Amino acid sequence: QVQLVESGGGVVQPGGALRLSCAASGFNFNRNNMHWVRQVPGKGLEWLAIIGWDATTKHYGESVKGRFIISRDNSKNTLDLYMNTLRTEDTAVYYCVKDLDWGFEYWGQGTQVTVSS
Amino acid sequence: QSALTQPPSASGSPGQSVTISCTGTSSDVGGYNHVSWYQQHPGKAPKFMIYEVNKRPSGVPDRFSGSKSGNTASLTVSGLQAEDEADYYCSSFGGRDNWVFGGGTKLTVL
């Protein structure tokens, strides 16, 4: 079965950096586009970034453009999100998500990121 | 403010039907058939319920259906059951290689 397991969350000071990782299994990772989506607890969902199956295509949401970088390693079935210049408003649960026909098919359990001094 | 507009709450009694709306613009919901819906129970990750406006992933009961008219998409839950009580989110491809979500609707089964 499809499994997506995020890691790397934690507490970081404003202006700091963090790297999130997602280990994928149970499907052909190297044939699927992947996303990162976040959710402030008790609030709605926000799309952050997509990376194409071969990593040549990457797109970002306006709130993270220029600060976050999405990447993948198809040899290791891993997806990463490098987050720089973090702000308090980046505090959220971050989800790794498999794409299907422009929808978000499978979600990981999420990893909590807290930006606080 | 979310890009897509959903009512904050909806409710119905067991066995009844309820419809949740999701209103966008001609640049997202109205411009593409890439509308999807998600169910989220407290403390859990969202679950993929509907994609491409009206397609159901394997395992999703046929009590859940989707539709679209102009800039508004809708999710209908028929034959409401207690376990349907959850938050529901819509999403649409927004063109220019970005995706947008609705603010979510809390569905209460009375």
Side-chain angles (χ1 to χ4, degrees), chain A residues 39 41-42 93 95 108-110, chain B residues 39-46 86-87 89:
Chain A
Q39 184 173 33
V93 175
Y95 292 102
Q109 86 287 352
Chain B
Q39 176 191 67
Q40 187 177 34
H41 288 109
K44 300 292 187 181
D87 292 327
Y89 294 91

Side-chain angles (χ1 to χ4, degrees), chain A residues 5 15 27 31 36 41-42 59 70 79 81 84 95-96 103 107:
Chain A
V5 179
F27 66 103
R31 296 183 185 179
W36 285 98
H59 298 286
I70 189 171
L79 175 74
L81 185 67
N84 301 298
Y95 292 102
C96 161
W107 300 63

Side-chain angles (χ1 to χ4, degrees), chain A residues 39 42-44, chain B residues 5-12 18-21 37-43 75 77 80-90 102-110:
Chain A
Q39 184 173 33
K43 302 293 185 182
Chain B
T5 300
Q6 297 181 235
S9 63
S11 63
V18 64
T19 297
I20 299 170
S21 63
W37 289 89
Y38 305 85
Q39 176 191 67
Q40 187 177 34
H41 288 109
L75 173 72
V77 185
L80 270 175
Q81 299 182 3
E83 60 262 35
D84 299 334
E85 185 163 296
D87 292 327
Y88 291 83
Y89 294 91
C90 63
T105 298
K106 183 176 180 61
L107 174 61
T108 300
V109 180
L110 301 171

Side-chain angles (χ1 to χ4, degrees), chain A residues 6 20 36-39 48 64 68 81 83 86 89-96 108-115:
Chain A
E6 302 94 339
L20 304 183
W36 285 98
V37 175
R38 71 183 178 187
Q39 184 173 33
L48 300 179
V64 303
F68 290 11
L81 185 67
M83 305 187 295
L86 283 162
E89 55 265 36
D90 293 319
T91 294
V93 175
Y94 286 71
Y95 292 102
C96 161
Q109 86 287 352
T111 187
Q112 173 72 47
V113 171
T114 301
V115 184

